[in-house]
Amino acid sequence: MARRWTNNLTPADATPRALFLNRRQLIAGAAAGAGLVAARPALASGDDLKPNSWDEITSYNNYYEFGTGKSDPAANAHRLTTSPWSIRIDGMVDRPGDYALPDILAKMDIEDRIYRFRCVEAWSMVIPWQGFELADLLDLAGVQDGARYVAFETVLRPKEMPGVRYPVLDWPYREGLRIDEALHPLAIMATGIYGKPMPNQNGAPIRLVVPWKYGFKSIKSVVRITLTDKEPFASWNKYNPREYGFYSNVNPNVDHPRWSQATERRIGGGLFSARQSTLMFNGYEDEVAVLYEGMDLAKDF
Ligand SMILES: Nc1nc2c(c(=O)[nH]1)N[C@H]1C(S)=C(S)[C@@H](COP(=O)(O)O)O[C@H]1N2
Ligand SMILES: [Mo]
């Protein structure tokens, strides 16, 4: 576990607005003094990093296995049995097998990560997750040299999931990352929010969080992770490849065919609050742009 990334957002950064604005002025001032041009767009406001409330985060959800309405997961996901839980890690790994969640957690450093979260539907939140780096989990299984992608699968339990009787998606919900994306220190497996165990509607007991991609890449209630040399099946991409790319990096310059991705509505911002600008890679451009050098992001969206 040598690869540690220092969280650049802390509750101290996120809450006091005056302090945050001060920090921005300091950074802007330093850049100007050094004759540099700011490398990234200004944040919409100091409130950009203020975490959403527990109620907002746990009552406005997308978890289609429990229904397609935003309040369906909070109403129905209590039916999901989350213990015992294990993750099957297989494919191109040295140590394939069923990894019991308590055994995984015993080996991981759980950290706080306050991340922006941007749904492809153009709403957003800021969520204070607890979790560990996906790379550390992949290390447990030992990724083999030829592995180029990581495939993820959500649990499928028709008796507990009222939504899966409808063929909205080709269940189980599946997602995938390129191996370098999966090994990036910003990609985490999240086990909690606000210091509490992950609520069922948010993907208990353990889910992926990839903060620079649209929310649907952050697959919930993960039971299987497969290392492979081929681009894996990804539910939304397969459902409509014209609308949902395999990469689905947050990008204000590439619109969804049916709506603009230039701005977003921050949940809890109030009925009349202005929409805010969507940031390239959801504000994580400095950290992740290197992964996509030489790629045409309008084509490989
Ligand atoms: N298994 C599964 N994972 C999922 C989804 C889903 O329907 N099923 N919805 C995705 C979408 S579209 C979003 S925006 C986020 C929502 O996460 P949240 O409810 O914790 O905010 O979960 C993603 N992960
Ligand atoms: Mo989403």
Side-chain angles (χ1 to χ4, degrees):
M1 287 185 221
R3 237 181 289 100
R4 286 266 80 90
W5 174 79
T6 316
N7 190 358
N8 64 347
L9 307 181
T10 69
D13 291 323
T15 15
R17 186 178 156 81
L19 199 146
F20 177 72
L21 291 175
N22 266 336
R23 221 175 112 244
R24 270 185 61 201
Q25 276 159 10
L26 275 174
I27 294 164
L36 302 171
V37 180
R40 52 201 293 186
L43 298 173
S45 79
D47 290 336
D48 178 55
L49 302 180
K50 183 170 171 273
N52 280 85
S53 70
W54 172 263
D55 282 353
E56 287 158 357
I57 295 167
T58 61
S59 66
Y60 188 90
N61 299 98
N62 276 333
Y63 198 163
Y64 279 17
E65 289 89 329
F66 295 98
T68 54
K70 292 286 180 280
S71 55
D72 289 340
N76 297 327
H78 62 90
R79 301 192 202 178
L80 182 67
T81 312
T82 59
S83 176
W85 195 272
S86 62
I87 301 179
R88 172 162 299 179
I89 309 183
D90 60 6
M92 302 173 80
V93 291
D94 294 334
R95 293 172 290 281
D98 292 322
Y99 289 75
L101 186 54
D103 296 343
I104 293 173
L105 295 181
K107 298 194 175 78
M108 298 295 155
D109 301 329
I110 302 294
E111 331 174 18
D112 291 307
R113 296 284 180 99
I114 301 173
Y115 283 161
R116 298 178 199 86
F117 190 89
R118 169 60 158 83
C119 176
V120 73
E121 298 162 339
W123 53 264
S124 66
M125 298 200 202
V126 173
I127 305 186
W129 306 104
Q130 285 74 50
F132 55 85
E133 292 180 13
L134 170 60
D136 289 337
L137 179 59
L138 298 179
D139 277 353
L140 276 190
V143 176
Q144 294 178 347
D145 279 346
R148 293 179 54 221
Y149 295 92
V150 187
F152 300 84
E153 209 172 292
T154 294
V155 72
L156 179 56
R157 299 232 192 89
K159 290 205 173 105
E160 300 178 1
M161 295 173 144
V164 303
R165 80 176 82 116
Y166 308 104
V168 189
L169 291 171
D170 180 0
W171 314 110
Y173 195 103
R174 280 161 285 171
E175 258 308 333
L177 296 173
R178 217 171 54 191
I179 189 74
D180 56 335
E181 299 178 312
L183 295 176
H184 193 284
L186 284 177
I188 60 167
M189 297 301 293
T191 54
I193 295 173
Y194 272 116
K196 300 187 185 133
M198 186 66 69
N200 283 10
Q201 59 267 40
N202 294 89
I206 184 166
R207 69 168 304 171
L208 178 68
V209 176
V210 190
W212 70 93
K213 292 179 178 282
Y214 291 121
F216 66 82
K217 298 293 290 184
S218 292
I219 182 174
K220 295 177 169 181
S221 309
V222 172
V223 287
R224 187 171 181 192
I225 297 178
T226 306
L227 281 291
T228 155
D229 56 1
K230 289 176 194 66
E231 187 180 287
F233 183 102
S235 294
W236 283 103
N237 174 235
K238 282 296 177 294
Y239 171 79
N240 191 338
R242 221 175 55 83
E243 298 196 349
Y244 308 102
F246 175 78
Y247 287 95
S248 283
N249 294 312
V250 175
N251 189 338
N253 309 314
V254 176
D255 288 337
H256 187 278
R258 291 181 283 126
W259 58 84
S260 165
Q261 294 292 24
T263 63
E264 63 200 51
R265 176 175 63 94
R266 178 59 54 83
I267 299 300
L271 212 48
F272 303 104
S273 73
R275 295 176 73 87
Q276 60 186 68
S277 298
T278 288
L279 302 175
M280 187 65 201
F281 295 113
N282 205 23
Y284 303 100
E285 184 172 18
D286 288 351
E287 290 87 355
V288 303
V290 63
L291 298 175
Y292 307 103
E293 266 169 18
M295 271 175 64
D296 179 349
L297 298 178
K299 202 172 131 271
D300 283 321
F301 62 98

